């Protein structure tokens, strides 16, 4: 697929676990249908909101196969790849292609040692070339954070890297990526607190937690900015920010799952050591949800 097929609101799914940490695969279909019915422009499976760092290769493959079957081509399927070695990342990326994914969202190595710039270029080149799929770099790992100059270098030297999902709270880094962005490359935002100004700056879309927890409201924000209705967009931004402030704790994926459950998605647990939200957190989430479209 060409890069112009990826845009707008692309929520990451959560992974439904039971109390024993086993995946409840049958629950994924309802979540994906709910997201598509909310008007989203794609779906990402296996990202950080999906606790992708806890998934083994077979689990990720099966989640992608079920997602691909459920989507039935309605919107693009993006696979999240969160793994440390180039070899493992290539293997998972090849599995993702066979399972029906049409693009990849790939973190840099997330262990504590930072590879050199040249090594990172080679890492993403191997994933792109050996998977045959377009790659979005998920720029989220704090100790392996890729600065704008390196990201642009990778996009220029590796044609299959079609863009970046920017996850730092500093909006200047997003702005720095957007200026002088190589032709036909993409910048997605994962900065939930700053979706509105990111959309105004001209990002190509968002793959983030708020879209997973409140897809309908995030799609509406996207549409309002595209239509130039900034007065209404700013009000919605403020309510989405309050919602985000209710969600953002250490066990974020568990909180997303609870917010989803308030909107008809089967309730699911996180995988240990993560815990479900307590009653006080649930009340904050439920109250904030009332102020946004859902």
């Amino acid at each position: 697929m060409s890069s112009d097929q990826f845009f707008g609101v692309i929520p990451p799914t959560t992974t439904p676990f039971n109390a024993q940490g086993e995946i409840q695969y049958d629950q994924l279909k309802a979540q994906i249908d709910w997201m598509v019915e909310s008007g989203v422009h794609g779906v990402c499976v296996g990202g950080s909101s999906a606790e992708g760092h806890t998934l083994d290769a077979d689990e990720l493959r099966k989640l992608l196969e079920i997602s691909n079957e459920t989507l039935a081509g309605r919107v693009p399927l993006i696979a999240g790849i969160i793994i440390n070695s180039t070899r493992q990342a290539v293997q998972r990326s090849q599995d993702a292609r066979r399972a029906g994914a049409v693009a990849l969202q790939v973190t840099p190595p997330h262990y504590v040692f930072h590879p050199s710039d040249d090594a990172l270029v080679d890492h993403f080149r191997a994933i792109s070339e050996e998977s045959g799929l377009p790659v979005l770099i998920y720029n989220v790992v704090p100790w392996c954070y890729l600065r704008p100059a390196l990201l642009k270098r990778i996009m220029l030297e590796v044609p299959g890297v079609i863009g970046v999902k920017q996850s730092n709270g500093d909006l200047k880094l997003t702005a720095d990526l957007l200026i002088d962005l190589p032709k036909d490359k993409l910048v997605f935002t994962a900065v939930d607190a700053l979706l509105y100004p990111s959309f105004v700056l001209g990002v190509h879309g968002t793959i983030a937690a708020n879209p997973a927890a409140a897809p309908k409201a995030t799609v509406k924000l996207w549409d309002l900015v595209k239509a130039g209705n900034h007065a209404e967009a700013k009000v919605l931004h403020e309510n989405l920010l309050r919602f985000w402030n209710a969600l953002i704790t250490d066990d974020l994926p568990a909180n997303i799952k609870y917010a989803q459950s308030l909107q008809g998605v089967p309730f699911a647990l996180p995988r240990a050591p993560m815990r479900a939200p307590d009653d006080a957190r649930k009340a904050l989430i439920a109250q904030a949800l009332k102020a946004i479209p859902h």
Side-chain angles (χ1 to χ4, degrees):
M1 298 181 74
S2 62
S3 62
D4 61 4
Q5 301 298 307
F6 305 107
F7 66 92
V9 178
I10 302 178
T13 60
T14 56
T15 303
F17 298 106
N18 63 16
Q20 290 72 45
E22 298 165 343
I23 299 176
Q24 306 302 288
Y25 291 100
D26 58 329
Q27 293 186 13
L28 185 61
K29 295 182 179 182
Q31 181 185 162
I32 288 175
D33 283 337
W34 167 70
M35 288 177 168
V36 174
E37 290 161 8
S38 298
V40 303
H41 307 99
V43 169
C44 179
V45 173
S48 51
S49 294
E51 300 164 72
H53 62 289
T54 75
L55 300 174
D56 66 35
D58 288 340
E59 289 173 333
L60 177 59
R61 176 188 50 76
K62 189 169 181 180
L63 288 167
L64 288 166
E65 289 172 347
I66 292 170
S67 301
N68 184 49
E69 178 184 347
T70 304
L71 284 171
R74 288 179 288 175
V75 297
L77 172 62
I78 298 175
I81 307 296
I82 305 175
I83 202 74
N84 276 311
S85 77
T86 302
R87 179 175 178 271
Q88 290 172 303
V90 166
Q91 290 171 339
R92 292 198 179 200
S93 299
Q94 291 172 334
D95 285 346
R97 183 193 65 228
R98 288 188 286 265
V102 296
L104 305 170
Q105 171 192 277
V106 185
T107 62
H110 58 277
Y111 195 60
V112 294
F113 303 120
H114 193 305
S116 68
D117 286 3
D118 289 346
L120 286 165
V121 173
D122 289 343
H123 177 72
F124 286 105
R125 178 182 288 112
I127 294 167
S128 168
E129 292 180 352
E130 296 189 43
S131 72
L133 291 178
V135 173
L136 285 170
I137 297 173
Y138 182 10
N139 197 24
V140 67
V141 181
W143 44 87
C144 192
Y145 208 74
L146 278 58
R147 64 198 185 282
L150 177 56
L151 290 165
K152 291 176 183 179
R153 176 188 166 190
I154 296 171
M155 286 187 277
L156 286 169
E157 293 187 19
V158 185
V161 173
I162 61 169
V164 180
K165 172 181 164 181
Q166 180 64 24
S167 299
N168 188 284
D170 183 351
L171 195 60
K172 183 180 183 299
L173 290 175
T174 301
D176 285 341
L177 276 173
L178 286 166
I179 60 173
D180 302 322
L181 186 70
K183 188 177 187 300
D184 298 326
K185 302 299 183 179
L186 307 173
V187 175
F188 280 75
T189 182
V191 185
D192 288 275
L194 299 171
L195 292 180
Y196 169 62
S198 297
F199 292 173
V200 172
L201 275 175
V203 298
H204 300 88
T206 179
I207 307 172
N210 253 2
K216 186 174 289 186
T218 311
V219 169
K220 183 174 182 180
L221 180 65
W222 174 262
D223 290 343
L224 287 170
V225 173
K226 288 297 180 183
N229 188 344
H230 291 283
E232 189 175 350
K234 188 170 183 297
V235 172
L236 180 53
H237 155 74
E238 292 170 352
N239 288 330
L240 272 169
L241 178 55
R242 293 186 180 96
F243 179 66
W244 173 242
N245 289 340
L247 285 180
I248 183 61
T249 62
D250 288 342
D251 295 325
L252 176 60
N255 295 339
I256 297 171
K257 290 177 181 180
Y258 179 68
Q260 291 176 335
S261 75
L262 297 176
Q263 300 167 79
V265 175
F267 178 71
L269 294 168
R271 182 170 261 178
M274 198 173 299
R275 294 185 176 184
D278 60 21
D279 289 343
R281 180 59 51 181
K282 288 179 179 178
L284 289 172
I285 293 169
Q287 183 63 36
L289 181 63
K290 292 177 182 178
I292 60 175
H294 60 279

